[in-house]
Amino acid sequence: MKVKAENGLARILKAEGIPWVSCYPTSNVNNALGEEGVPILMMGEERFAVAVADAFSRVTCGRQIGVCTVMASLNAAGIQMAYGAVAQAWEDSSPLLVIAEGLGRGASRHTHYDMAGAFRSATKWVGEIDRAELVPDYLRRAFTHLRSGRPGPVLLLIPRDLGEYDPDEHPYAPVKGWRSGPDPDDVKAAVKVLLAARAPLLYVGEGVLYADATAELRRFAELAQAPVLTTLKAKGAFPENHPLSIGVRGSHAEHFLRTCDVLFSIGSSLFPNRFSHAVPDADKKTIVQCTVDTLDINRSYETRHAVIGDAKLTLHALIDELSARGPGRRPEVLEEIRAARQAFQAKFQPWLTSDETPINPYRVFGDLAKVLDPKNSFVTADSGNTRDQTSTVYEAQIPRGYLGWGNVSTLGFSLAGAVAAKLAYPDRQCVHVTGDAGVCYMMGNFEAVARYKLGITTIHINNGGYSGYGPGFWGAGHDPYTWKVSDHSSACMSSMARAVGFHGEDVSQPSEIIPALKRALDENAKGRPAFLEFISSHHPVHGGWVRPAAGGGH
């Protein structure tokens, strides 16, 4: 029996195990999804619908693919609104499927906007379905892109009234995705360099998470007896309470980045952008880069040795070769790491336990760590100070116990991260942290969070302005004319959250932080989201990103 093109697409999504599709209406696909029994999560606007699907792919490390629909065709306002969210998925290499209504035959003459052309620079592939019977072919190719090679978003355009096709004549089987293993000679050369190093450093990227290779990473690091530094996006890929961990950023990270003679990278592009380290004195170090994408090689730095392949297969091969040659012997490295971490922690500990009022933001994060179960929780933070502060001091002990992100930082994404984490891991405590800028980007979506009874907690660090932009103990600020916003006395954000069904509280005393967090988590357990507004001081101090010039870290 023939099916409409949209219904065939919906059935294929079910066959691929897609648990739900996020959207903001309208889309010609949405009714077909409903007819075929695919759950639809309707968000407050298109950018957020894309962000939730993107975050779902991230928190599951691509084992499940986030899918969303947005309004398009001649009324392209929805897909135009969604562009920033899709671009973020592209910059951060997140495997996201966006479905939008394509232009019908002959309709392109009625618009100035070229949807496919606009998104080709921000997607791995754009598929324009122009015949109903090609739906299975295009979905097959889309999921091949989503599950193979470097992750990235895919856009499918399907016009309204495309017609019908016979699924018996054009069948579909789910796509498994494909991996490639490394060249054995490259593996041998890389291990030889590692064993000859005076001070090697393992620099780990998000590719390890997408390859489901965190156990192999730990085994390799322990064999090599080398310190492990992760990128922001890979935070938690290596347990940060492990004796070999030097976290993501800070004085200890800078120490090992500057003193290493071999930088052994696994699953990272090594791009020195705003939210990652540069490699200092790169011309004096030997860089070994293990990556799935040849485009990373000799791109930002000279790569002396490269190992091309899936991170899991690569780590298996590295472990075998290192075991055969004999593990690294550097008994002094554990003491060096311990001392460096102790010096780093000594700077932040007074703030983590501070009794000052307004509340120091670090006191909130210190108490949050006391309340959450590190083995069964999820934390993320919005771009800006909340990201910088939490990624400096929050200790992630499990993969995706913390979601780091931000090559392109779309404010408000932390709410999408917490929503997606709760959908993926219903039993986890899910918390996101935002500031005065980020909260304004997300409040239009609080109604949807309450409507779907998603038990997540929003922590709002409210200090009445953008920290570091204006003047303070740090100096004049980098944007002194654009930093002040309404303070809590004139704009109570928790009241707005309560109005749409959240449990909401204002917290002004340090002694009330832990009780408020516990009440919020109790409400979450009942399926009610919570909003905690902490009346805080400005404290834009955090671990820095190392730059080629001296003084990049703190």
Side-chain angles (χ1 to χ4, degrees):
M1 181 182 293
K2 288 188 175 182
V3 297
K4 292 179 181 178
E6 292 94 337
N7 289 73
L9 185 151
R11 292 181 186 182
I12 288 171
L13 294 181
K14 289 180 71 174
E16 286 287 0
I18 303 303
W20 46 264
V21 174
S22 58
C23 80
Y24 186 76
T26 62
S27 165
N28 58 320
V29 173
N30 289 348
N31 286 347
L33 294 170
E35 291 163 2
E36 299 297 334
V38 178
I40 301 172
L41 302 181
M42 188 176 71
M43 299 300 155
E45 38 93 4
E46 294 87 355
R47 185 180 66 94
F48 193 74
V50 176
V52 169
D54 171 9
F56 189 67
S57 293
R58 295 184 195 226
V59 299
T60 62
C61 301
R63 288 187 291 276
Q64 291 184 284
I65 300 297
V67 180
C68 61
T69 66
V70 294
M71 182 174 68
S73 190
L74 289 176
N75 189 356
I79 198 168
Q80 290 167 355
M81 178 75 171
Y83 184 89
V86 177
Q88 176 170 323
W90 170 247
E91 285 275 23
D92 280 1
S93 299
S94 178
L96 159 73
L97 178 57
V98 182
I99 301 170
E101 183 181 347
L103 293 172
R105 186 170 298 175
S108 61
R109 69 187 190 277
H110 302 311
T111 180
H112 296 294
Y113 184 61
D114 177 5
M115 287 186 293
F119 278 83
R120 284 198 173 94
S121 64
T123 55
K124 198 172 178 181
W125 179 61
V126 176
E128 299 179 82
I129 307 174
D130 54 6
R131 298 205 311 270
E133 69 272 16
L134 293 179
V135 166
D137 288 346
Y138 275 76
L139 268 293
R140 191 177 296 114
R141 188 174 181 193
F143 278 97
T144 298
H145 280 295
L146 291 164
R147 294 197 173 118
S148 306
R150 176 190 286 277
V154 166
L155 171 64
L156 281 182
L157 299 172
I158 178 168
R160 190 179 298 268
D161 300 326
L162 197 57
E164 299 179 327
Y165 75 95
D166 189 335
D168 292 328
E169 294 181 9
H170 304 279
Y172 185 88
V175 174
K176 67 178 283 293
W178 286 270
R179 302 180 298 162
S180 58
D183 184 325
D185 290 340
D186 291 337
V187 171
K188 290 178 181 178
V191 171
K192 182 179 179 180
V193 170
L194 179 66
L195 288 174
R198 170 186 52 80
L201 172 65
L202 301 187
Y203 192 24
V204 175
E206 196 177 29
V208 168
L209 288 165
Y210 278 108
D212 190 24
T214 56
E216 289 80 3
L217 170 64
R218 180 168 182 162
R219 173 65 175 149
F220 180 64
E222 289 172 348
L223 280 171
Q225 283 295 287
V228 180
L229 174 70
T230 72
T231 65
L232 177 59
K233 292 193 296 174
K235 185 175 172 70
F238 190 79
E240 293 184 323
N241 59 338
H242 192 285
L244 289 170
S245 172
I246 54 172
V248 171
R249 58 199 300 184
S251 58
H252 52 330
E254 177 168 10
H255 167 75
F256 287 99
L257 267 171
R258 292 197 180 279
T259 59
C260 72
D261 61 335
V262 170
L263 187 137
F264 200 105
S265 171
I266 307 168
S268 171
S269 66
L270 292 181
F271 292 171
N273 58 46
R274 282 190 64 194
F275 307 108
S276 64
H277 299 293
V279 179
D281 301 317
D283 57 332
K284 299 176 183 177
K285 303 181 190 298
T286 298
I287 295 176
V288 179
Q289 193 166 10
C290 306
T291 177
V292 74
D293 194 345
T294 56
L295 292 177
D296 292 339
I297 303 303
N298 286 318
R299 188 168 185 174
S300 299
Y301 308 100
E302 179 187 359
T303 306
R304 304 280 180 87
H305 298 275
V307 183
I308 308 300
D310 171 81
K312 192 180 191 81
L313 299 177
T314 295
L315 280 164
H316 273 298
L318 291 168
I319 289 168
D320 289 345
E321 180 66 19
L322 186 55
S323 297
R325 287 174 175 258
R329 293 179 177 85
R330 278 177 282 271
E332 72 287 351
V333 74
L334 292 177
E335 175 56 28
E336 185 181 6
I337 294 170
R338 188 200 63 77
R341 284 169 62 171
Q342 187 175 50
F344 163 74
Q345 291 165 353
K347 175 178 180 177
F348 290 90
Q349 189 59 36
W351 302 330
L352 292 166
T353 56
S354 170
D355 287 327
E356 67 185 79
T357 56
I359 299 171
N360 189 303
Y362 279 103
R363 173 64 187 267
V364 178
F365 308 141
D367 283 359
L368 178 65
K370 296 174 183 176
V371 171
L372 293 181
D373 177 355
K375 303 295 186 183
N376 193 38
S377 58
F378 170 88
V379 174
T380 191
D382 255 309
S383 64
N385 282 289
T386 55
R387 172 201 53 221
D388 295 332
Q389 291 163 337
T390 57
S391 62
T392 297
V393 299
Y394 186 79
E395 187 177 83
Q397 297 184 21
I398 59 172
R400 290 309 195 213
Y402 182 100
L403 180 63
W405 50 279
N407 285 347
V408 171
S409 296
T410 306
L411 282 162
F413 187 80
S414 72
L415 177 62
V419 166
K422 196 64 179 180
L423 291 166
Y425 310 109
D427 295 331
R428 281 202 202 181
Q429 301 163 317
C430 295
V431 177
H432 73 108
V433 186
T434 190
D436 293 327
V439 74
C440 294
Y441 272 74
M442 65 180 64
M443 292 203 79
N445 291 285
F446 280 6
E447 179 275 332
V449 176
R451 175 168 22 102
Y452 290 114
K453 301 186 187 319
L454 297 171
I456 64 172
T457 289
T458 299
I459 289 177
H460 174 202
I461 302 298
N462 186 338
N463 42 32
Y466 306 154
S467 290
Y469 285 51
F473 67 82
W474 52 89
H478 54 78
D479 281 82
Y481 301 103
T482 53
W483 71 275
K484 191 78 178 73
V485 299
S486 299
D487 62 23
H488 179 258
S489 64
S490 56
C492 177
M493 298 302 184
S494 64
S495 296
M496 296 173 68
R498 283 194 294 271
V500 296
F502 276 55
H503 167 80
E505 296 187 37
D506 306 332
V507 183
S508 59
Q509 296 298 318
S511 61
E512 280 300 307
I513 296 173
I514 287 179
L517 288 168
K518 288 181 176 179
R519 288 191 292 270
L521 294 173
D522 286 344
E523 291 295 321
N524 291 169
K526 304 171 188 175
R528 187 184 184 191
F531 187 102
L532 300 181
E533 188 168 3
F534 292 96
I535 314 308
S536 304
S537 63
H538 290 273
H539 202 95
V541 179
H542 43 77
W545 299 116
V546 174
R547 299 296 178 231
H554 297 284

